[in-house]
Amino acid sequence: MSKKAKSLILHFVLIILVVITIIPFLWMVFSSFKTNSEITSITPTFLPKLFTFNNYVNVQKSFNFLRLFANSLFLSVAITAIVIYTSTISGFVFAKYKFRGKNLLFGLVLGTMMIPWCVTIIPRYSMMLDFKWLDSYLAIIIPAAVSGFGIFMMRQSISTIPNEMLEAARIDGASEWFIFHKIVFPLSQNVISSIAIFQFLWSWEDYLWPYLIISSEEKQVLSVGLKMFNGRYGTDYGGLFAATTISIIPVLIVYLIFQKRFIDGIAASSVKG
């Protein structure tokens, strides 16, 4: 098979995958402009027959959307910022320092990535109960403050920084904190961008843990609040689609901010070991 034929087949497969990925998203967005009767019609349509903005206008009436949106935004930004810092400083230690048990400790960090999250729910909940952190944001932020995935990514990236550069800084009298904040951190921007996108998305869409930990309605997150559209006698699908469409906006903004460095960061961390 010629190289051109292989390229055409590859492009055809990619186009099919893109269409499969985008169609559900577009269907959700278009449905947010439909009435409930049109959404639940036995002859569904892809585009709205009659555009209506009532679903967006009434979304705040269904539940305290703005408060829950702000809660999710605060938690996602806080967790992402903390994970970036802890991952970078841990990756710096694993990549550039020599100490006894380093490989064993790094192996344990990698091991945390292989444990299914659901297995840790009960012991984690028991710990939060002992700490008296139930119905507190500490129970959401602290367990997510350290990421094995982030440490692995940063260790791979920082190991490519020349040791001579760091030694020259030490000879000039720079402290380890100065080297980390002024040299290592700026040189790791590509991978930091990748971690920021993944971590923000994971924190934003997290449903089960906030549902278990937070009992106060005013402290709840948006992903849990969306279930309030499921009433006793029916579901407000139009409002649900409108709220879900709005909830995607922060994720898109984060991706647009970091997209320039995203691909470079993934390539740098996965290829160089």
Side-chain angles (χ1 to χ4, degrees), residues 74-229:
F74 164 73
L75 288 171
S76 300
V77 171
I79 292 173
T80 301
I82 294 173
V83 165
I84 286 174
Y85 192 82
T86 57
S87 298
T88 308
I89 198 168
S90 300
F92 176 49
V93 171
F94 280 119
K96 296 301 180 182
Y97 287 85
K98 295 180 181 178
F99 54 91
R100 182 176 296 178
K102 185 178 79 170
N103 292 333
L104 175 62
L105 188 59
F106 186 65
L108 292 175
V109 172
L110 295 181
T112 62
M113 299 167 58
M114 304 172 191
I115 301 175
W117 184 86
C118 57
V119 175
T120 67
I121 289 179
I122 294 178
R124 191 183 297 191
Y125 187 89
S126 299
M127 292 174 64
M128 298 301 108
L129 184 62
D130 293 338
F131 295 160
K132 302 185 186 304
W133 283 358
L134 294 183
D135 199 28
S136 167
Y137 286 157
L138 287 175
I140 297 179
I141 295 175
I142 299 301
V146 179
S147 166
F149 171 76
I151 294 174
F152 170 74
M153 294 276 287
M154 294 309 306
R155 188 256 189 190
Q156 299 298 95
S157 174
I158 295 174
S159 63
T160 63
I161 298 176
N163 293 327
E164 292 78 7
M165 182 185 298
L166 306 184
E167 289 299 327
R170 293 188 178 102
I171 292 173
D172 289 339
S175 66
E176 296 302 312
W177 284 108
F178 182 90
I179 292 173
F180 171 70
H181 289 102
K182 298 297 182 182
I183 299 177
V184 174
F185 206 89
L187 291 177
S188 306
Q189 294 301 311
N190 288 343
V191 181
I192 287 175
S193 300
S194 304
I195 296 174
I197 291 175
F198 285 122
Q199 188 60 53
F200 186 89
L201 177 60
W202 293 337
S203 302
W204 184 262
E205 68 180 8
D206 190 12
Y207 171 83
L208 182 56
W209 186 243
Y211 181 72
L212 293 174
I213 290 298
I214 302 298
S215 56
S216 301
E217 186 173 328
E218 67 273 11
K219 293 182 180 178
Q220 199 49 269
V221 298
L222 185 58
S223 57
V224 178
L226 292 177
K227 73 178 180 61
M228 297 179 184
F229 285 94

Side-chain angles (χ1 to χ4, degrees), residues 25 28-29 65 69 200-201 204 222 241-255:
F25 176 77
M28 179 194 70
V29 174
F65 176 82
F69 186 92
F200 186 89
L201 177 60
W204 184 262
L222 185 58
F241 288 137
T244 306
T245 301
I246 297 174
S247 71
I248 293 174
I249 294 176
V251 179
L252 293 177
I253 292 175
V254 169
Y255 179 75

